[in-house]
Amino acid sequence: MTRKVLVVEDNELNLRLFCDLLRAHDCTVEGVRDGREALDTAHRFAPDLIVMDIQMPHVTGLELIEAIRADNELAHTPVMAVTAYAGKADEERARAAGADAYVSKPISLMRFVAAVEEFMRPQSPPVQTDPHAIREAEGGATDQSA
């Protein structure tokens, strides 16, 4: 199944690079240059991952990440922050806003792809830890009197 990635990046060259690279790795991609359009696009597109530039005009990536985390429909969508800021404090701010990953520019294409692929791995089903549920799943009886 093709995974969907929303790329929010105001720089046209970077946007094209990210989108082309993701398409080459079998992703369906939607690109947005204006952060003010990001939330509406995310609702319409329903991405599996959002790649978010941090430094943009009008609205910052940090503000958008916070808005995504506050949105019931988008709150669980992973966000990978991409920024020219490379300091430890910058990464901490991005993570505090709700970013799940942080990649600094200039971006190594291999590192970018590896970070995206980390989010694209199929998730394992949750592990059953309730002993009653495990016995039922295995066809055994549960003791309801206990």
Side-chain angles (χ1 to χ4, degrees):
M1 178 171 105
T2 301
R3 305 289 274 190
K4 297 181 348 180
V5 181
L6 173 62
V7 179
V8 184
E9 168 65 67
D10 65 308
N11 180 287
E12 182 67 35
L13 291 175
N14 287 341
L15 179 64
R16 191 173 312 140
L17 173 67
F18 294 151
C19 290
D20 289 348
L21 190 58
L22 291 164
R23 286 184 187 109
H25 285 84
D26 298 321
C27 294
T28 300
V29 182
E30 182 84 22
V32 174
R33 285 192 62 208
D34 188 332
R36 296 172 294 187
E37 300 171 9
L39 291 177
D40 288 338
T41 303
H43 280 279
R44 178 183 47 76
F45 185 60
D48 299 302
L49 172 67
I50 299 172
V51 175
M52 178 74 66
D53 184 21
I54 296 300
Q55 185 180 354
M56 295 183 292
H58 310 297
V59 59
T60 70
L62 295 177
E63 292 167 327
L64 287 170
I65 294 169
E66 289 170 348
I68 288 165
R69 294 297 172 238
D71 186 301
N72 289 335
E73 193 176 319
L74 301 172
H76 298 292
T77 305
V79 177
M80 183 171 74
V82 179
T83 183
Y85 302 128
K88 185 67 176 165
D90 299 312
E91 179 176 357
E92 289 170 1
R93 277 192 293 277
R95 291 195 183 272
D100 298 287
Y102 179 89
V103 179
S104 60
K105 297 176 186 175
I107 292 177
S108 153
L109 298 182
M110 298 286 284
R111 186 169 163 226
F112 176 77
V113 169
V116 168
E117 286 179 349
E118 184 70 27
F119 288 105
M120 297 298 142
R121 287 191 184 138
Q123 298 297 315
S124 300
V127 176
Q128 292 265 357
T129 57
D130 176 21
H132 295 292
I134 293 171
R135 271 188 246 125
E136 286 178 10
E138 293 172 348
T142 59
D143 182 4
Q144 299 297 325
S145 63

